Amino acid sequence: ASRAGSQTQGTPGIPRQSRRRKSLAIAYESGQGDGAEPRRARWEPRDWREQLERIREMRRSRDAPVDEMGVQKCYDSSAPPQVRRYQVLLALMLSSQTKDQVTSAAMLRLRRRSLTVDSVLQMDDETLGQIIYPVGFWRNKVKYIKQTTAILKQKYGGDIPSTVEELVQLPGVGPKMAHLAMHIAWDSVAGIAVDTHVHRISNRLQWVKKETKYPEETRVALEEWLPRDLWKEINWLLVGFGQQTCLPVNPRCSQCLNQDICPAAKRL
């Protein structure tokens, strides 16, 4: 490049050629030569494919709480698409810091009242609170559900937004909920849904380049290397695995097929 530059300055007949050469180089750099893609492709966790395959094996029976009572099981599958999507979002809002069993029961009680945008808007706060109790932080959730439902009615014609950016603007909706809403309600993969289970297990398996403190950090770290065709599956796999085997306290390492290749197994 420096030689071409000196030729450009010293030889009047060359500038056009050197400019052309330079533009070709720039085109290359903006594509693959900026280093971003190769850097991501180079790092991947040790043994991750084998670990993933073994987790799939452990999850083969699909009998964790998330399988039987997770958000994907909480909506009325016979309802119109717009109503189904609203029920998915509501189930996600209720599920925060709440066991799947409790969320599922609350959704069942709500659905008995014909769970739609209009029915929730017509419900007073006390009634809504009585129905969703004992979900975690139920008083806050009453407020968020009412606020979000009003926004959906006014701004989205009673439907839910179809982008993560718009979903996280809704009261009481965080990034994990937004990504799961995209997966379940819109059948669209915009990113990895990272909850406490995915966050914990990703760190234990060292699926993050360096330890992460928050689920959002974990999401960014996972998306840098995990093949995109696995983004939707990984939440379901790891949540159930975290509920049954890789528990927050006293994980059942002796029952885990990854015991020999898990960096955390010997320390726990």
Side-chain angles (χ1 to χ4, degrees):
S2 60
R3 200 179 67 201
S6 66
Q7 285 177 333
T8 303
Q9 292 167 359
T11 314
I14 307 256
R16 190 178 297 155
Q17 184 187 1
S18 76
R19 271 201 301 271
R20 188 157 61 246
R21 217 177 268 150
K22 202 170 183 181
S23 71
L24 283 171
I26 289 166
Y28 170 77
E29 283 163 15
S30 65
Q32 342 169 13
D34 60 3
E37 284 303 319
R39 254 205 311 278
R40 280 209 292 269
R42 269 199 299 270
W43 187 85
E44 58 180 45
R46 184 180 174 185
D47 300 324
W48 77 268
R49 290 183 187 277
E50 194 169 355
Q51 289 165 340
L52 179 67
E53 205 45 57
R54 292 181 186 184
I55 292 171
R56 282 187 181 131
E57 178 60 35
M58 287 183 277
R59 294 283 286 112
R60 197 174 294 274
S61 58
R62 294 173 177 260
D63 55 2
V66 70
D67 302 308
E68 295 166 356
M69 290 167 281
V71 167
Q72 77 285 356
K73 298 280 190 180
C74 285
Y75 63 86
D76 179 3
S77 57
S78 65
Q82 188 167 309
V83 174
R84 289 203 303 266
R85 289 190 286 267
Y86 174 64
Q87 292 184 1
V88 166
L89 184 63
L90 224 60
L92 286 165
M93 293 175 75
L94 292 174
S95 72
S96 174
Q97 294 182 282
T98 302
K99 289 187 180 297
D100 288 330
Q101 297 92 322
V102 177
T103 302
S104 176
M107 281 297 293
L108 201 58
R109 292 192 295 274
L110 280 168
R111 281 170 51 192
R112 287 189 188 127
R113 300 248 184 164
S114 171
L115 180 54
T116 64
V117 164
D118 290 332
S119 71
V120 169
L121 288 176
Q122 288 161 14
M123 207 179 287
D124 62 70
D125 289 8
E126 188 180 353
T127 303
L128 181 57
Q130 287 170 352
I131 295 171
I132 68 171
Y133 179 84
V135 299
F137 302 98
W138 63 273
R139 286 187 181 86
N140 284 340
K141 288 177 183 177
V142 166
K143 182 176 68 179
Y144 293 145
I145 286 169
K146 279 303 199 66
Q147 290 173 347
T148 284
T149 305
I151 292 168
L152 298 181
K153 175 82 170 175
Q154 293 158 13
K155 192 174 175 182
Y156 298 99
D159 209 337
I160 71 170
S162 58
T163 67
V164 169
E165 291 74 20
E166 291 172 293
L167 284 162
V168 294
Q169 297 300 316
L170 297 169
V173 178
K176 178 208 76 172
M177 296 180 212
H179 285 293
L180 278 175
M182 293 299 292
H183 293 182
I184 300 167
W186 291 110
D187 194 24
S188 172
V189 180
I192 299 171
V194 177
D195 71 343
T196 54
H197 295 291
V198 179
H199 173 63
R200 176 179 74 254
I201 294 164
S202 296
N203 276 277
R204 283 181 177 171
L205 291 172
Q206 291 181 7
W207 281 8
V208 288
K209 208 169 185 178
K210 58 180 184 178
E211 189 178 354
T212 53
K213 290 186 177 179
Y214 307 105
E216 262 301 272
E217 281 183 83
T218 304
R219 180 185 66 78
V220 173
L222 285 174
E223 287 177 6
E224 282 185 353
W225 67 268
L226 189 70
R228 199 178 177 93
D229 60 347
L230 299 173
W231 286 11
K232 189 172 182 178
E233 178 192 22
I234 208 70
N235 176 271
W236 165 79
L237 270 179
L238 295 190
V239 169
F241 179 53
Q243 289 175 336
Q244 292 182 307
T245 307
C246 199
L247 306 175
V249 181
N250 299 323
R252 296 166 178 159
C253 295
S254 61
Q255 299 170 24
C256 181
L257 299 180
N258 278 324
Q259 190 183 13
D260 61 327
I261 52 172
C262 173
K266 296 176 180 64
R267 294 199 304 273
L268 293 168

